[in-house]
Amino acid sequence: MRNLIGLIFFAGVLYAVSTLFLGCAQIGAPTGGPKDTIPPVVIRSNPPQQTTNFDGKTISITMNEYIELQNISENVLISPLQKKQPNINYNLKTISIKFKDSLLPNTTYTINFGNAIKDVREGNILKNYTYTFSTGNHIDSLKISGRILVAETGLPDSTILAYLYKDTADSAVQKLRPDYIARPDNNGKFEFQNLPAQPFRVYALKDGDGGKTYNAASEFFAFTDSAIVPTLSGTPSTALYAYAVEKTEKQQPGPKLSKDNKLRITTNLKGNKQDLLDSLTLSFNSPIKPFDLNLIKLTDSSFHPISGFAIRQDSTLYNININYKWQPETHYILTLPKSGIEDTLGHTLAAADTFRFQTKKEFDYGRVVLRFTNLDLSHHPIIQFLEGDKIKAAFPITQKEWTNKRFPPGEFGMRILFDSNQNGKWDPGNFETHTQPEKVILISQKLSIRADWDNEREIKF
């Protein structure tokens, strides 16, 4: 009996001890370390970086981790440009470049990998790694820097590349491939490095056919007025304003005919209110045959005829715009007859249509005062107000202070068009006559307009 009690006591002690240790040593999944955000690092290259008197055919570059190359043809730029692109491959941690074309004597070459190099594990990119070597006895060290902007918008476009030519003749960019290519960053800034001391011509091109020459009016293109000699610092910076002579616009399909095959009309009235600054638009559900626009009548609330308004059918045949100097807080009536208006399928209105509406009030709009500093009025500036990328309104600036007492509420972007020929719109350049495109300067400030408020801004250039 005593032995049994001792055995039970020993078992209890053993259970308590095991429970204590198991409670302290809970089992769980091991936690990982911090996420790897460091891009690959070059640990060696053969031949070494900035080798001179290079006479080989292959180059190898080794990283500190496993890598892969993405979009080699789009990312990797070799300058000066070669007729035959080299073979560029990777294996584990090593990149190999094998030249198929002969290299120029006494020339500094650069291989810029752009965003091609990334590690396998996390996809971290080694941005713009550049390998440099020379077939001569020294490394050229001069630079040309600049910025590419779209002339019509004042915005950068990183898909437009900078081209550099040793041949300074105008015809070179139309007949020859460039000697050097540089890719701009998201702000449009580019830089050519390791250049020799000689004049170059600088261009910008969004190449449409892959030929690396300017040969289509729809391609975005920019040119400098004269040759440029590189410097150690790359200054002064070169400004390139890109333009396309012909725009390639996607045609938007018109509204589809309604399933009930009836001719119907909608308007751009909001809350049955007409904007004092806009035309009244009638939109049909199918294209309308040309008709006698005088059939449309505009009257006051007592049906007294109103004159002085203009009616225009747009090129799509779906819309009719009625322009008039609307008076604030005024009632109008617009009538369309039953007959005389039909669509291209022969459908007519079921009955005469009447639209009764009222114009907005003065205090539905804001008042704007813009004061400009260092704005050259001799270049005939026009201020453009933008909703997204669309021009909502535009006005010529003839004084350093501009005032508008009736401006629609909302938030607008702003930019200045220098209208050189004073035709009220932006015009592209002409390479044959060396005429630069009209330029646009983007204003960083946004204009937020509140109804029945005074909105003032100081804008410095």
Side-chain angles (χ1 to χ4, degrees), residues 195-216:
L195 299 176
Q198 69 175 79
F200 290 90
R201 285 294 296 272
V202 186
Y203 301 93
L205 181 67
K206 191 170 187 176
D207 187 19
D209 58 8
K212 294 183 172 60
T213 57
Y214 176 47
N215 53 23

Side-chain angles (χ1 to χ4, degrees), residues 36-302:
D36 176 20
T37 59
I38 301 175
V41 176
V42 177
I43 57 175
R44 63 178 175 274
S45 56
N46 184 27
Q49 176 76 271
Q50 296 202 333
T51 286
T52 57
N53 299 310
F54 179 86
D55 59 358
K57 284 290 184 181
T58 61
I59 295 169
S60 66
I61 301 169
T62 303
M63 305 287 167
N64 67 334
E65 57 182 318
Y66 295 115
I67 55 96
E68 62 182 1
L69 298 183
Q70 57 182 357
N71 301 325
I72 295 175
S73 60
E74 297 176 11
N75 277 304
V76 181
L77 293 178
I78 300 177
S79 296
L81 215 60
Q82 296 205 296
K83 294 179 181 178
K84 299 177 182 178
Q85 286 296 97
N87 287 328
I88 302 176
N89 296 297
Y90 65 95
N91 183 31
L92 301 178
K93 300 180 181 181
T94 302
I95 300 169
S96 62
I97 302 107
K98 185 175 182 179
F99 294 101
K100 295 187 291 185
D101 202 1
S102 57
L103 300 175
L104 299 172
N106 300 314
T107 301
T108 298
Y109 282 84
T110 61
I111 306 174
N112 186 297
F113 286 87
N115 292 327
I117 304 173
K118 68 175 184 178
D119 64 38
V120 172
R121 183 178 178 185
E122 296 290 350
N124 297 311
I125 296 174
L126 176 60
K127 294 183 178 180
N128 293 315
Y129 170 70
T130 301
Y131 177 86
T132 305
F133 67 93
S134 175
T135 57
N137 58 13
H138 73 282
I139 300 290
D140 291 322
S141 58
L142 302 182
K143 302 176 183 178
I144 291 177
S145 63
R147 193 179 186 205
I148 301 170
L149 297 173
V150 177
E152 187 176 6
T153 65
L155 293 170
D157 185 340
S158 59
T159 65
I160 304 175
L161 302 182
Y163 284 14
L164 197 62
Y165 283 82
K166 293 180 180 178
D167 187 335
T168 59
D170 284 349
S171 59
V173 70
Q174 297 170 314
K175 297 179 179 179
L176 306 174
R177 287 155 54 94
D179 296 293
Y180 300 83
I181 295 178
R183 185 183 294 106
D185 62 17
N186 291 334
N187 294 315
K189 294 180 180 179
F190 66 88
E191 185 174 76
F192 294 101
Q193 299 179 343
N194 303 108
L195 299 176
Q198 69 175 79
F200 290 90
R201 285 294 296 272
V202 186
Y203 301 93
L205 181 67
K206 191 170 187 176
D207 187 19
D209 58 8
K212 294 183 172 60
T213 57
Y214 176 47
N215 53 23
S218 60
E219 293 177 325
F220 274 92
F221 174 71
F223 61 93
T224 52
D225 292 320
S226 59
I228 296 173
V229 177
T231 64
L232 280 172
S233 63
T235 55
S237 182
T238 301
L240 290 166
Y241 292 91
Y243 64 92
V245 176
E246 296 178 0
K247 292 184 179 181
T248 53
E249 296 182 353
K250 295 181 180 179
Q251 290 189 349
Q252 299 294 329
K256 294 181 180 180
L257 187 64
S258 59
K259 294 181 180 180
D260 59 6
N261 290 332
K262 293 181 180 180
L263 186 58
R264 301 182 184 278
I265 307 173
T266 58
T267 73
N268 62 339
L269 296 170
K270 295 180 180 179
N272 215 36
K273 293 289 183 69
Q274 171 62 39
D275 191 339
L276 297 174
L277 308 174
D278 201 1
S279 59
L280 172 60
T281 300
L282 306 178
S283 297
F284 295 83
N285 61 335
S286 60
I288 300 299
K289 293 178 181 179
F291 68 98
D292 183 5
L293 297 176
N294 292 321
L295 294 174
I296 298 177
K297 304 297 182 183
L298 181 66
T299 68
D300 62 18
S301 57
S302 300

Side-chain angles (χ1 to χ4, degrees), residues 276 324-330 332 359-360:
L276 297 174
Y324 183 62
K325 190 175 181 180
W326 309 106
Q327 299 302 308
E329 297 185 70
T330 303
Y332 293 92
T359 53
K360 291 185 176 181

